[in-house]
Amino acid sequence: MAIRGIICGAGSTGTHLHYGALIAAGADIVAFVDINEEMAKKASKQYGLNSYYTSIEEALQNEKNIDFVDICTSSATHLSIAKVSLEHGCNVLVEKPVTETIEEIEELRKLKERYSKVVCAVHNHKFYPSVREVRNMIKSGEIGDIISINKEMSFNWEDPGMMEEDHWAQGIPGGRLFEANPHNLYIIYSLIGKFELVDIFPRKVSSHWVHAKVDEFQAIFKTDKTTINLKMSMHSTKESYGKYGPNFFVVVGTKKSVLFDYANVVELNDFSGSIKRNIKVKNKFTSEEKYPIIKDKNGDECNIGVDSGHKWIIDKFIGNLEGRYTEEAVSFGEAFFVQAMNSKMGNLVEAKLARQ
Ligand SMILES: NC(=O)c1ccc[n+]([C@@H]2O[C@H](COP(=O)([O-])OP(=O)(O)OC[C@H]3O[C@@H](n4cnc5c(N)ncnc54)[C@H](O)[C@@H]3O)[C@@H](O)[C@H]2O)c1
């Protein structure tokens, strides 16, 4: 029998990014839940489901034999929905940011231990073929010891997304940038493991997004061998980098240095020819892999999350529940480290702003 789940949160993530990836992985989705009844109803109708609910409690009282709850709501609500789901004996798939505060992620850890269920953070970008390629190069020793990692993630100023004044992402400690920052942190973690925060320098550079707390930060992290620089901002231009803005890593090792983004891996050289080699990876835009056409219960084709990376993480989550994969897709240790670090950075930004 297929693994049965409920999607909680019928916004764009629960519908467009998750539903088809879950079906492609072999799961059976029985209902959508959304506190906004219209959203829950619309999503269930869109995919041909019979049921929708306005609370997770109501859904779990009515639907039996549910294996997992997929949490795609605003981050401040993740812990309470995860708690109810675990209390009902369900495994949990939860979008990033997994929680908003360090206290919440600590409570989630205790709940996971008490109920002994899978709690899997959606760390989707680390499964892109290019990111997996660099991880493998590091693991095999090809890159050597990692001396430094530099990451730039800058949104296009015209449309960073989630910038409405009352959008829930503005309320995350540190503001909107910390909704997306987990992507940076879990990719770095997946390359080198744990690291510590040295300092963070938040700035308000542009007057464009008047209500943004900060629109740029530079953070420095370290391990005993590696220094990491991370820059996030929201004032890049379409002309300079295209629709979404710069989003790339440079990893300098003792044997090799590579630049990678979500589609390419390039081995770097000194200025005698700064690109030494273009490392061929299947990428999300020109993949050689053939993906299945997945149809919903209305018979309409649905997105399976190749572009966003949800395809791979969700397949691994469902596969782990089914026993196809022995390892959890994302360990709770990783989820805990990443969220605690994201909150720590956001708190430091808030503290620095309060002193200004
Ligand atoms: N991994 C990724 O690439 C990625 C991309 C985008 C968003 N996200 C994450 O996905 C989550 C959802 O983002 P979104 O953009 O879809 O948000 P959204 O605001 O568009 O949708 C969230 C939905 O949750 C509903 N909701 C809020 N509280 C609820 C509750 N207690 N019970 C049931 N429903 C509730 C809202 O009514 C809304 O319809 C966030 O954590 C976000 O950071 C992840």
Side-chain angles (χ1 to χ4, degrees), residues 8-15 17-18 33-36 39-40 53-56 71-75 77-78 80-81 94-98 122-125 162 167-169 172 179-180 183 186 308 310:
C8 188
S12 59
T13 306
T15 56
L17 298 181
H18 280 230
V33 176
D34 202 295
I35 42 166
N36 179 332
M39 296 288 285
Y53 300 94
T54 53
S55 78
I56 191 63
I71 306 176
C72 298
T73 55
S74 38
S75 46
T77 66
H78 289 180
S80 60
I81 298 167
V94 54
E95 264 296 352
K96 44 55 55 179
V98 174
V122 179
H123 289 177
N124 44 324
H125 293 178
M162 303 188 174
H167 195 284
W168 55 262
I172 294 175
E179 187 278 337
H183 292 302
Y186 67 69
S308 62
H310 284 89

Side-chain angles (χ1 to χ4, degrees), residues 237-251:
T237 62
K238 260 191 206 159
E239 290 72 19
S240 92
Y241 212 83
K243 189 175 169 199
Y244 297 110
N247 192 357
F248 59 84
F249 290 81
V250 177
V251 175

Side-chain angles (χ1 to χ4, degrees), residues 11-307:
S12 59
T13 306
T15 56
H16 183 66
L17 298 181
H18 280 230
Y19 177 82
L22 285 161
I23 301 304
D28 182 17
I29 298 304
V30 301
F32 273 92
V33 176
D34 202 295
I35 42 166
N36 179 332
E37 187 171 359
E38 278 311 305
M39 296 288 285
K41 191 175 174 180
K42 188 171 151 219
S44 285
K45 192 170 171 215
Q46 180 184 349
Y47 296 112
L49 311 188
N50 294 326
S51 313
Y52 64 88
Y53 300 94
T54 53
S55 78
I56 191 63
E57 289 87 348
E58 189 194 358
L60 289 170
Q61 274 155 18
N62 282 280
E63 301 291 346
K64 299 297 163 215
N65 302 319
I66 298 301
D67 299 298
F68 73 96
V69 172
D70 176 12
I71 306 176
C72 298
T73 55
S74 38
S75 46
T77 66
H78 289 180
L79 176 65
S80 60
I81 298 167
K83 185 167 187 279
V84 172
S85 307
L86 290 164
E87 283 166 355
H88 279 78
C90 299
N91 298 290
V92 168
L93 179 65
V94 54
E95 264 296 352
K96 44 55 55 179
V98 174
T99 63
E100 287 197 352
T101 67
I102 294 175
E103 293 74 20
E104 286 173 338
I105 192 73
E106 277 168 354
E107 192 178 341
L108 187 57
R109 172 157 68 182
K110 287 187 196 136
L111 288 165
K112 177 186 159 54
E113 280 164 11
R114 186 183 319 153
Y115 293 102
S116 294
K117 290 285 170 189
V118 175
V119 176
C120 178
V122 179
H123 289 177
N124 44 324
H125 293 178
K126 82 174 205 181
F127 294 96
Y128 283 137
S130 59
V131 181
R132 287 200 308 243
E133 174 75 23
V134 173
R135 204 153 50 237
N136 289 339
M137 289 173 83
I138 291 175
K139 211 169 158 190
S140 71
E142 196 181 335
I143 294 187
D145 290 339
I146 310 300
I147 297 167
S148 69
I149 299 178
N150 295 279
K151 171 73 201 281
E152 166 104 21
M153 185 194 245
S154 296
F155 302 131
N156 182 343
W157 69 271
E158 285 175 66
D159 185 19
M162 303 188 174
M163 288 309 295
E164 299 83 1
E165 190 168 0
D166 58 352
H167 195 284
W168 55 262
Q170 309 285 350
I172 294 175
R176 161 70 178 99
L177 292 174
F178 293 86
E179 187 278 337
N181 188 43
H183 292 302
N184 300 316
L185 299 178
Y186 67 69
I187 291 179
I188 297 169
Y189 178 93
S190 83
L191 300 179
I192 58 163
K194 289 183 182 173
F195 46 89
E196 62 183 273
L197 178 63
V198 177
D199 209 343
I200 184 164
F201 305 95
R203 285 224 296 163
K204 182 95 187 231
V205 178
S206 149
S207 54
H208 184 70
W209 295 104
V210 274
H211 51 269
K213 285 177 193 165
V214 296
D215 56 15
E216 178 177 297
F217 71 75
Q218 180 88 35
I220 302 170
F221 310 94
K222 65 170 183 181
T223 70
D224 53 348
K225 285 186 180 156
T226 311
T227 302
I228 303 143
N229 287 294
L230 166 62
K231 192 209 134 194
M232 280 195 87
S233 75
M234 52 172 84
H235 38 76
S236 167
T237 62
K238 260 191 206 159
E239 290 72 19
S240 92
Y241 212 83
K243 189 175 169 199
Y244 297 110
N247 192 357
F248 59 84
F249 290 81
V250 177
V251 175
V252 178
T254 50
K255 294 185 182 165
K256 273 182 188 166
S257 299
V258 289
L259 180 151
F260 69 98
D261 59 17
Y262 289 165
N264 308 283
V265 183
V266 172
E267 191 183 332
L268 301 171
N269 207 357
D270 61 25
F271 47 70
S272 56
S274 59
I275 293 181
K276 197 172 187 178
R277 190 163 63 108
N278 223 321
I279 300 170
K280 197 168 162 29
V281 287
K282 289 177 183 169
N283 75 47
K284 63 177 183 140
F285 303 107
T286 60
S287 177
E288 289 150 9
E289 243 179 89
K290 292 272 176 276
Y291 299 113
I293 305 262
I294 295 297
K295 298 202 169 164
D296 62 27
K297 290 182 181 171
N298 288 324
D300 298 326
E301 189 177 335
C302 43
N303 174 47
I304 62 167
V306 172
D307 280 1

